[in-house]
Amino acid sequence: MSIIKLDHVNRKFKIAVNDKNFVRYVLNRKYQTKEAVKDVSFSIDEGELVGFIGPNGAGKSTTIKMMCGILVPSSGDITVLGRTPYKNRKKNSKEIGVVFGQKSQLWWDLPPIDTFSLFKKIYKIDDAVYERNLNYYGELLEINEFMNQPVRQLSLGQRMRADLCAALLHDPKILFLDEPTIGLDVLVKKQIRDMIKEINCKRKITVVLTTHDMKDIEEICSRIIMINNGQVMLDKPLEEVKSSFSGDSEIRLITQQKIDSLKIDRVKDIQINNCEIKILFVAKDISAAEIITSVVQKAEIINIEIKEPEIDDIIRNLYSIKGN
């Protein structure tokens, strides 16, 4: 069942054109129109983990803000949980959680627990639900030790974990995450990734994740929607993307006997140095098992090392293909 649906959505902005004549700029200002989002259509089902990706300026944050009801589309229709977000902002806000990695929702001079108490009143959270969620997320995100410490004294990783807790206290059905791991160390990133997967599995929270960290996408998401120049360029399951745009894989083998020559169809390159063989191939063209079988017919193998392309390389390849 689709709980988010965008149908031919467009968003245009008026931008003032700079003029060296200050008086003319103030009294007779001219504008140009920029299309940030162009004819975007997609739907997201309940419980999905979706990576919403694209280069800087592609229209990701604008689309997220329209789904949250912060911005109004210039044309087209958006429904979130059966409502039009900008027409039902209060009702919509009660059923979604939002975290913008570069903008905290915590009060700077107050400890996180005070912001949580304020959110309890804003969202009218029942006492039992508030206590249950505070205990659950406090333990899951390991924020209990600094719950009463002013936000200005917290590290970036601590603030981000507290922000995530604040966004989840009211039991949202959808969680929008815009760069939630930006600037964090590897340990905190892993903790946040594990948390997102757990709440999706145990609480069936739908997650829409915008990030430039492709490890977030690889470890969290099952589907990718790629946007560029305001348009949806790709919408596929992650595994299908990895197999279709995987680039070169590499297999290194050490054989017992030296091989003088080796011919294998459908591989890109074969390099032989005494008993060491390096083979470049594309996984969709030929499997590693087929390559190994061909080598075994020539000599006994004593060591195998397979290197698959990094997710960063796959996405970079995607950007270059779709950008042309």
Side-chain angles (χ1 to χ4, degrees):
M1 175 184 174
S2 296
I3 59 174
I4 299 173
K5 188 171 183 180
L6 281 73
D7 189 19
H8 300 290
V9 172
N10 296 274
R11 173 67 195 193
K12 298 178 181 179
F13 292 98
K14 274 188 174 182
I15 303 173
V17 178
N18 200 7
D19 196 320
K20 293 181 180 180
N21 187 314
F22 179 75
V23 174
R24 187 168 57 211
Y25 177 74
V26 173
L27 299 179
N28 189 23
R29 190 173 300 178
K30 295 181 180 179
Y31 296 89
Q32 64 181 16
T33 301
K34 179 184 177 182
E35 282 189 286
V37 175
K38 308 171 190 176
D39 196 34
V40 166
S41 298
F42 61 79
S43 61
I44 296 174
D45 292 340
E46 184 178 7
E48 279 198 277
L49 290 166
V50 179
F52 192 52
I53 67 170
N56 289 328
K60 304 184 300 296
S61 294
T62 299
T63 306
I64 292 286
K65 288 174 181 176
M66 287 192 289
M67 289 190 281
C68 294
I70 298 170
L71 292 177
V72 180
S74 302
S75 62
D77 297 313
I78 300 178
T79 54
V80 175
L81 296 164
R83 305 185 188 94
T84 303
Y86 70 91
K87 291 181 179 178
N88 303 273
R89 283 195 65 178
K90 287 186 177 179
K91 289 183 179 178
N92 190 56
S93 296
K94 287 185 177 180
E95 303 216 58
I96 67 170
V98 183
V99 175
F100 291 100
Q102 301 184 55
K103 188 175 182 180
S104 177
Q105 56 192 329
L106 304 171
W107 287 83
W108 186 247
D109 290 312
L110 299 178
I113 190 64
D114 287 354
T115 299
F116 299 160
S117 298
L118 178 62
F119 276 30
K120 178 180 182 294
K121 297 183 183 298
I122 291 173
Y123 287 102
K124 298 178 181 178
I125 306 171
D126 291 340
D127 291 344
V129 173
Y130 175 76
E131 290 299 328
R132 181 197 70 201
N133 286 343
L134 188 62
N135 291 332
Y136 176 70
Y137 292 116
E139 182 177 344
L140 185 62
L141 292 164
E142 297 181 7
I143 63 175
N144 292 324
E145 62 182 28
F146 55 83
M147 194 90 78
N148 295 294
Q149 190 174 336
V151 170
R152 55 185 166 79
Q153 296 178 359
L154 302 181
S155 68
L156 178 60
Q158 289 172 329
R159 290 203 308 271
M160 183 52 63
R161 283 181 280 157
D163 261 312
L164 282 164
C165 181
L168 291 162
L169 284 173
H170 59 290
D171 278 342
K173 295 179 181 177
I174 303 170
L175 183 61
F176 293 103
L177 301 174
D178 192 353
E179 297 284 358
T181 62
I182 188 168
L184 303 184
D185 64 57
V186 291
L187 294 177
V188 177
K189 282 185 179 184
K190 184 181 185 307
Q191 188 175 25
I192 289 176
R193 290 165 183 161
D194 290 344
M195 183 278 296
I196 293 170
K197 289 186 285 187
E198 180 167 331
I199 63 172
N200 172 259
C201 179
K202 292 187 176 180
R203 299 199 166 191
K204 307 302 179 186
I205 297 175
T206 303
V207 178
V208 179
L209 171 66
T210 297
T211 181
H212 287 292
D213 189 331
M214 292 305 114
K215 287 296 182 184
D216 289 347
I217 298 294
E218 185 175 32
E219 294 192 21
I220 295 171
C221 302
S222 56
R223 173 185 170 194
I224 285 179
I225 299 175
M226 192 184 91
I227 188 171
N228 197 6
N229 297 319
Q231 297 176 297
V232 173
M233 309 302 292
L234 180 140
D235 183 355
K236 292 180 180 292
L238 178 61
E239 289 305 315
E240 187 175 332
V241 171
K242 290 171 73 173
S243 63
S244 299
F245 302 94
S246 59
D248 294 344
S249 297
E250 181 183 298
I251 184 167
R252 291 176 179 266
L253 307 104
I254 305 295
T255 58
Q256 186 73 45
Q257 306 87 18
K258 179 182 175 181
I259 297 178
D260 293 324
S261 64
L262 180 65
K263 184 178 180 181
I264 304 174
D265 293 334
R266 292 172 288 141
V267 301
K268 296 188 71 173
D269 186 46
I270 300 175
Q271 297 177 20
I272 302 174
N273 183 15
N274 293 323
C275 293
E276 182 178 348
I277 305 170
K278 176 183 172 183
I279 301 172
L280 293 180
F281 67 101
V282 178
K284 66 178 181 179
D285 296 334
I286 186 170
S287 68
E290 291 178 273
I291 295 171
I292 293 168
T293 300
S294 297
V295 177
V296 165
Q297 294 173 0
K298 292 277 188 176
E300 182 182 348
I301 298 173
I302 58 176
N303 188 56
I304 299 173
E305 181 183 339
I306 300 174
K307 181 182 177 183
E308 295 183 346
E310 295 288 334
I311 186 68
D312 285 16
D313 296 330
I314 295 171
I315 299 302
R316 195 179 301 114
N317 187 28
L318 260 178
Y319 286 172
S320 63
I321 293 172
K322 297 297 179 179
N324 291 334

